[in-house]
Every structure is written in C-alpha cells, then in structure tokens.
C-alpha cells in the first residue's frame, strides 16, 4: 500500500498553445486535509477537473493508491472513490432533501411484487440519519432543497459524497458566498471527514478559512506550484504573502477580511 492515496507527479495540462498546468506535483495522504490555494487564474479549476476525471493530463503521472490511473470520465473517478463537490453543488432546488441525497442512486422497492419504484420512506429515514451523523439536523426529508440555506446545501452535498463511499473528497470553494456561521459549519464537517479517515482536498482563496483545518498546503500561481508545505512549516502570514505577492497586499487582504466579517 502506498503512503499516498492520491498523487499527481509533474502533471501538465495543455489546451492547444495554452499551458494551464505546468509540472504540478501534489501528494495526498489518507485522513489528510490538503488545502490548494491560489488566486483567480492560478490553475485551481483545471487541477480540480484533472483530479475528477474531466481532463486527462497532457504530461506527467496520476496515481491512486500507488497505481497509475487514466480516467475516461468523471464517473470512473467517482466509482474509485474520488468525489468532487463543485461550487454549484449539483442539487435540484425543486426536489426534496431525500431525493437530492440519493439522486442517481435511489433505493428501490417492488410495488405489487414486481414493479420497481423508489422507496421514499427508506430514502427519507436514511438521509436524515446520515445527515444527523454529520451534525446536520433536517426538519423534514421532504423539505425542498431550495428552502435550505447555502451552508445547509453545502453540508448536504458533502455528506452525500461521504455516505456513498468517498475515499478522497475534493471541495471546490466550499465556503465561498457563505456567512461566518455557515462557513464554520462547513469547516466542522471537513474535520469530521478527516476523523473518518477520508482525505480532503480543500480548494480556496480564503486563507483564514483554510489555515484552521489544513494539515498541508499547496500554492498555485499561473499554473505552477509555488511549493507544498506542512502546517508546521509555514505561518498564515507567510501563506498570505506568497499568495498576494507582498506585505502591502497582505495587509490589504487582512483589512478586507475584517470588513467582510
């Protein structure tokens, strides 16, 4: 068994003459929260889609549990245990909590002994129980997703991925556009995933959200890695400095965070 559950070794991704990723190396251990940091245009989205099986690397090696992989579709990555929660969450507002939780994997029972239909009672009970295990209280499994808060939706999408066997959980800006309390709930859920031995890649540009939960950091800038650091090796101020490109910009970002809060 490899020390790492997931590895990118000197991976590059080209779109014609455009180099979106340039020899990026990323190594993820089991039960580790690894934060991928970078400003807009740093290459985070391309890296996410490469990990999720949307894009194939143009160069370099992608390994899962020590074995080289070459996914032909995101479904193959998901079946292997690599679950990605994008910013849009892939939830249907006019469907219930239970239907969204099981979307595409609905439990089935036989009506009249032969007609397969969705088992709504089982779906509702299981969805509420599993969400409850993750600290999410659902008033009614038939509640429409559209009536839930942004933080509740984010937590449901994460809990769904964990329930269906995610070994690696890739979270794309999970605290973006959330309030302080909702962001804290999402960060707690990330910690719970780590406690279950799930490896988490937390993509964000908000160092104040990343630093409290991270075990390690990789910083991207224009498709290149600026390095990977254990939390013990780098301070929050240094991370901000590397991302922002200078002490003056770091101060400005800190002032902006205070205004936002």
């Amino acid at each position: 068994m490899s020390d790492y559950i997931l590895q990118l070794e000197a991976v590059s991704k080209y779109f014609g003459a455009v180099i979106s990723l340039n020899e990026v190396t990323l190594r993820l251990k089991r039960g580790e929260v690894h934060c991928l940091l970078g400003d807009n245009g740093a290459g985070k989205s391309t890296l996410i889609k490469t990990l999720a099986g949307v894009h194939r690397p143009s160069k370099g090696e992608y390994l899962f549990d020590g074995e080289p992989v070459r996914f032909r579709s995101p479904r193959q990555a998901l079946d292997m245990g690599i679950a990605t929660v994008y910013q849009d969450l892939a939830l249907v507002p006019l469907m219930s909590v239970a239907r969204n939780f099981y979307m595409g994997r609905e439990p089935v029972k036989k009506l009249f002994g032969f007609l397969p239909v969705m088992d709504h009672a089982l779906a509702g009970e299981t969805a509420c129980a599993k969400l409850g295990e993750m600290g999410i209280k659902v008033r009614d499994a038939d509640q429409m997703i559209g009536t839930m808060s942004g933080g509740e939706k984010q937590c449901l999408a994460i809990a769904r991925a964990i329930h269906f066997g995610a070994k690696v959980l890739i979270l794309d800006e999970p605290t973006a556009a959330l309030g302080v309390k909702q962001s804290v709930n999402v960060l707690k859920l990330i910690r719970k995933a780590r406690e279950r031995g799930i490896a988490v890649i937390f993509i964000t540009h908000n160092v104040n959200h990343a630093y409290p939960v991270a075990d390690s950091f990789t910083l991207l800038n224009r498709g290149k890695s600026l390095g990977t650091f254990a939390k013990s090796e780098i301070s929050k101020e240094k991370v901000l400095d590397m991302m922002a490109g200078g002490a003056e910009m770091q101060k400005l970002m800190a002032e902006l965070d205070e205004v936002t809060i």
Side-chain angles (χ1 to χ4, degrees):
M1 183 180 293
S2 171
D3 290 339
Y4 301 102
I5 189 166
L6 184 149
Q7 296 167 255
L8 294 183
E9 299 290 342
V11 162
S12 298
K13 180 60 185 176
Y14 311 137
F15 295 97
V18 177
I19 302 174
S20 292
L21 296 176
N22 191 354
E23 296 191 353
V24 172
T25 292
L26 185 149
R27 296 168 183 155
L28 183 67
K29 295 179 179 178
R30 293 167 180 80
E32 175 187 12
V33 177
H34 189 109
C35 281
L36 183 65
L37 296 159
D39 210 343
N40 292 335
K44 301 191 301 295
S45 294
T46 302
L47 185 56
I48 295 168
K49 291 178 180 178
T50 301
L51 291 169
V54 177
H55 300 320
R56 289 187 182 183
S58 304
K59 182 182 176 183
E61 196 168 25
Y62 185 176
L63 299 98
F64 186 81
D65 207 8
E67 296 294 326
V69 293
R70 193 167 178 83
F71 298 125
R72 290 190 293 271
S73 70
R75 184 70 200 192
Q76 284 189 320
L78 183 60
D79 289 343
M80 191 166 280
I82 302 170
T84 304
V85 179
Y86 293 99
Q87 281 184 272
D88 62 10
L89 301 178
L91 299 175
V92 181
L94 295 179
M95 287 173 57
S96 68
V97 169
R99 290 295 300 271
N100 272 281
F101 190 85
Y102 275 97
M103 190 161 38
R105 307 188 189 195
E106 292 81 359
V108 173
K109 65 179 181 180
K110 295 293 181 66
L111 190 64
F112 307 122
F114 69 91
L115 183 63
V117 296
M118 179 176 174
D119 191 334
H120 290 276
L122 177 61
E125 291 171 8
T126 306
C128 287
K130 295 302 177 182
L131 288 168
E133 289 175 10
M134 302 303 293
I136 307 164
K137 295 181 181 179
V138 177
R139 296 180 291 276
D140 182 359
D142 291 327
Q143 177 184 354
M144 296 296 106
I145 283 288
T147 66
M148 299 177 76
S149 70
E152 289 172 329
K153 293 174 187 176
Q154 187 68 245
C155 289
L156 186 145
I158 295 171
R160 178 178 64 185
I162 293 171
H163 172 66
F164 285 107
K167 298 175 183 177
V168 174
L169 187 58
I170 303 170
L171 304 178
D172 179 18
E173 299 279 3
T175 58
L178 297 184
V180 174
K181 185 177 180 180
Q182 293 177 333
S183 296
V184 169
N185 290 337
V186 171
L187 297 179
K188 286 180 179 178
L189 198 54
I190 291 173
R191 287 197 178 106
K192 286 180 180 289
R194 175 172 57 193
E195 290 168 5
R196 290 169 173 246
I198 298 169
V200 179
I201 297 177
F202 178 11
I203 297 94
T204 185
H205 63 272
N206 191 323
V207 180
N208 289 327
H209 290 171
Y211 203 81
V213 298
D215 299 304
S216 56
F217 305 87
T218 292
L219 286 89
L220 288 182
N221 189 331
R222 298 184 180 181
K224 292 184 179 181
S225 173
L226 300 180
T228 295
F229 308 89
K231 190 172 185 176
S232 59
E233 298 174 334
I234 191 167
S235 66
K236 183 170 75 172
E237 291 71 27
K238 182 61 177 176
V239 174
L240 278 167
D241 192 46
M242 292 181 70
M243 282 184 63
E248 184 177 346
M249 184 61 74
Q250 173 184 326
K251 182 180 178 181
L252 180 61
M253 290 177 68
E255 290 175 356
L256 181 60
D257 283 333
E258 289 178 6
V259 172
T260 304
I261 290 169

